[in-house]
Short mmCIF file of all heavy atoms in Angstrom, two decimals:
data_model
loop_
_atom_site.label_atom_id
_atom_site.label_comp_id
_atom_site.label_asym_id
_atom_site.label_seq_id
_atom_site.Cartn_x
_atom_site.Cartn_y
_atom_site.Cartn_z
N TRP C 595 5.56 -19.90 -13.01
CA TRP C 595 5.12 -21.26 -12.91
C TRP C 595 6.04 -22.10 -13.77
O TRP C 595 6.65 -21.57 -14.71
CB TRP C 595 3.70 -21.28 -13.44
CG TRP C 595 2.86 -22.52 -13.24
CD1 TRP C 595 2.99 -23.45 -12.26
CD2 TRP C 595 1.76 -22.90 -14.07
NE1 TRP C 595 2.01 -24.41 -12.39
CE2 TRP C 595 1.25 -24.11 -13.52
CE3 TRP C 595 1.14 -22.38 -15.21
CZ2 TRP C 595 0.14 -24.74 -14.06
CZ3 TRP C 595 0.08 -23.06 -15.75
CH2 TRP C 595 -0.44 -24.22 -15.17
N ILE C 596 6.20 -23.37 -13.52
CA ILE C 596 7.15 -24.19 -14.28
C ILE C 596 6.80 -24.17 -15.79
O ILE C 596 7.66 -24.18 -16.63
CB ILE C 596 7.20 -25.63 -13.74
CG1 ILE C 596 8.35 -26.43 -14.41
CG2 ILE C 596 5.88 -26.34 -13.91
CD1 ILE C 596 9.74 -26.01 -14.05
N GLY C 672 -2.09 -28.45 -16.57
CA GLY C 672 -2.21 -27.97 -15.20
C GLY C 672 -3.18 -28.74 -14.35
O GLY C 672 -3.00 -28.85 -13.15
N GLU C 673 -4.23 -29.24 -14.97
CA GLU C 673 -5.18 -30.04 -14.24
C GLU C 673 -5.98 -30.83 -15.27
O GLU C 673 -5.93 -30.53 -16.44
CB GLU C 673 -6.08 -29.21 -13.34
CG GLU C 673 -6.47 -27.91 -14.00
CD GLU C 673 -7.56 -27.13 -13.29
OE1 GLU C 673 -8.38 -27.70 -12.55
OE2 GLU C 673 -7.57 -25.92 -13.49
N PRO C 674 -6.72 -31.81 -14.79
CA PRO C 674 -7.51 -32.56 -15.76
C PRO C 674 -8.57 -31.63 -16.36
O PRO C 674 -9.11 -30.76 -15.68
CB PRO C 674 -8.19 -33.64 -14.90
CG PRO C 674 -7.37 -33.73 -13.64
CD PRO C 674 -6.83 -32.32 -13.44
N ASP C 696 -3.02 -32.47 -24.41
CA ASP C 696 -3.29 -32.31 -22.98
C ASP C 696 -2.07 -32.85 -22.29
O ASP C 696 -1.85 -34.08 -22.22
CB ASP C 696 -4.56 -33.15 -22.67
CG ASP C 696 -4.95 -33.08 -21.20
OD1 ASP C 696 -4.12 -32.64 -20.38
OD2 ASP C 696 -6.08 -33.53 -20.88
N THR C 697 -1.21 -31.99 -21.83
CA THR C 697 0.11 -32.39 -21.36
C THR C 697 0.10 -32.55 -19.85
O THR C 697 -0.14 -31.58 -19.13
CB THR C 697 1.20 -31.35 -21.77
OG1 THR C 697 0.88 -30.12 -21.20
CG2 THR C 697 1.25 -31.26 -23.29
N TRP C 698 0.38 -33.74 -19.37
CA TRP C 698 0.45 -34.02 -17.95
C TRP C 698 1.91 -34.01 -17.48
O TRP C 698 2.72 -34.73 -18.05
CB TRP C 698 -0.20 -35.37 -17.64
CG TRP C 698 0.07 -35.79 -16.22
CD1 TRP C 698 -0.39 -35.20 -15.09
CD2 TRP C 698 0.97 -36.82 -15.79
NE1 TRP C 698 0.11 -35.80 -13.94
CE2 TRP C 698 0.96 -36.80 -14.37
CE3 TRP C 698 1.75 -37.75 -16.44
CZ2 TRP C 698 1.74 -37.71 -13.60
CZ3 TRP C 698 2.51 -38.65 -15.69
CH2 TRP C 698 2.49 -38.62 -14.29
N TRP C 699 2.20 -33.20 -16.50
CA TRP C 699 3.55 -33.16 -15.93
C TRP C 699 3.50 -32.33 -14.67
O TRP C 699 2.44 -31.95 -14.19
CB TRP C 699 4.54 -32.63 -16.93
CG TRP C 699 4.30 -31.24 -17.51
CD1 TRP C 699 3.19 -30.83 -18.23
CD2 TRP C 699 5.14 -30.11 -17.35
NE1 TRP C 699 3.34 -29.52 -18.54
CE2 TRP C 699 4.51 -29.04 -18.03
CE3 TRP C 699 6.36 -29.84 -16.73
CZ2 TRP C 699 5.05 -27.75 -18.09
CZ3 TRP C 699 6.90 -28.58 -16.82
CH2 TRP C 699 6.26 -27.55 -17.48
N GLN C 700 4.67 -32.02 -14.09
CA GLN C 700 4.75 -31.37 -12.78
C GLN C 700 5.98 -30.46 -12.72
O GLN C 700 6.91 -30.61 -13.48
CB GLN C 700 4.90 -32.42 -11.67
CG GLN C 700 3.88 -33.49 -11.71
CD GLN C 700 4.14 -34.58 -10.69
OE1 GLN C 700 5.25 -35.12 -10.63
NE2 GLN C 700 3.17 -34.84 -9.84
N THR C 701 5.94 -29.54 -11.75
CA THR C 701 7.13 -28.72 -11.47
C THR C 701 8.37 -29.59 -11.39
O THR C 701 9.41 -29.26 -11.89
CB THR C 701 6.92 -27.98 -10.11
OG1 THR C 701 5.74 -27.20 -10.20
CG2 THR C 701 8.12 -27.07 -9.81
N ASP C 797 -0.12 -38.54 -8.21
CA ASP C 797 -1.38 -38.39 -8.92
C ASP C 797 -2.07 -39.72 -9.08
O ASP C 797 -1.40 -40.75 -9.31
CB ASP C 797 -1.14 -37.80 -10.34
CG ASP C 797 -0.90 -36.32 -10.35
OD1 ASP C 797 -1.41 -35.64 -9.43
OD2 ASP C 797 -0.26 -35.82 -11.28
N ILE C 809 -5.70 -38.71 -15.91
CA ILE C 809 -5.24 -38.29 -14.62
C ILE C 809 -6.44 -37.87 -13.77
O ILE C 809 -7.27 -37.08 -14.23
CB ILE C 809 -4.25 -37.12 -14.69
CG1 ILE C 809 -3.09 -37.46 -15.68
CG2 ILE C 809 -3.72 -36.68 -13.36
CD1 ILE C 809 -2.21 -38.61 -15.28
N ARG C 812 -4.63 -35.20 -7.68
CA ARG C 812 -3.68 -35.61 -6.61
C ARG C 812 -4.30 -36.76 -5.82
O ARG C 812 -5.48 -36.75 -5.53
CB ARG C 812 -3.41 -34.43 -5.68
CG ARG C 812 -2.93 -33.18 -6.39
CD ARG C 812 -1.59 -33.30 -7.03
NE ARG C 812 -0.54 -33.69 -6.07
CZ ARG C 812 0.62 -34.23 -6.41
NH1 ARG C 812 0.91 -34.43 -7.68
NH2 ARG C 812 1.51 -34.52 -5.51
N LYS C 906 -5.62 -22.43 -10.30
CA LYS C 906 -6.17 -23.67 -9.71
C LYS C 906 -7.18 -23.33 -8.59
O LYS C 906 -6.95 -22.43 -7.80
CB LYS C 906 -5.07 -24.54 -9.20
CG LYS C 906 -4.22 -25.05 -10.38
CD LYS C 906 -3.12 -26.03 -10.00
CE LYS C 906 -2.33 -26.27 -11.26
NZ LYS C 906 -1.16 -27.16 -11.14
C1 LIG E 1021 2.79 -28.46 -15.11
C2 LIG E 1021 2.12 -28.29 -13.81
C3 LIG E 1021 1.38 -30.52 -11.14
C4 LIG E 1021 0.04 -31.23 -10.90
C5 LIG E 1021 0.11 -32.67 -11.35
C6 LIG E 1021 -1.37 -32.97 -11.65
C7 LIG E 1021 -1.82 -31.68 -12.25
C8 LIG E 1021 -0.84 -31.04 -14.49
C9 LIG E 1021 -2.18 -32.03 -15.86
C10 LIG E 1021 -2.59 -32.34 -14.55
C11 LIG E 1021 -4.28 -33.65 -15.37
C12 LIG E 1021 -2.95 -32.58 -16.94
N1 LIG E 1021 -1.73 -31.72 -13.72
N2 LIG E 1021 -1.10 -31.22 -15.78
N3 LIG E 1021 -3.62 -33.16 -14.30
N4 LIG E 1021 -3.97 -33.39 -16.64
N5 LIG E 1021 -2.67 -32.34 -18.22
O1 LIG E 1021 0.94 -28.13 -13.75
O2 LIG E 1021 2.89 -28.35 -12.70
O3 LIG E 1021 1.95 -26.79 -10.95
O4 LIG E 1021 3.60 -28.63 -10.34
O5 LIG E 1021 1.21 -29.12 -10.96
O6 LIG E 1021 -0.98 -30.65 -11.73
O7 LIG E 1021 -2.05 -33.21 -10.47
O8 LIG E 1021 0.65 -33.49 -10.32
P1 LIG E 1021 2.45 -28.16 -11.18
#
Side-chain angles (χ1 to χ4, degrees):
W595 191 26
I596 189 68
E673 39 171 332
D696 180 346
T697 60
W698 169 69
W699 59 298
Q700 308 174 306
T701 302
D797 280 333
I809 307 298
R812 306 293 302 162
K906 291 183 187 178

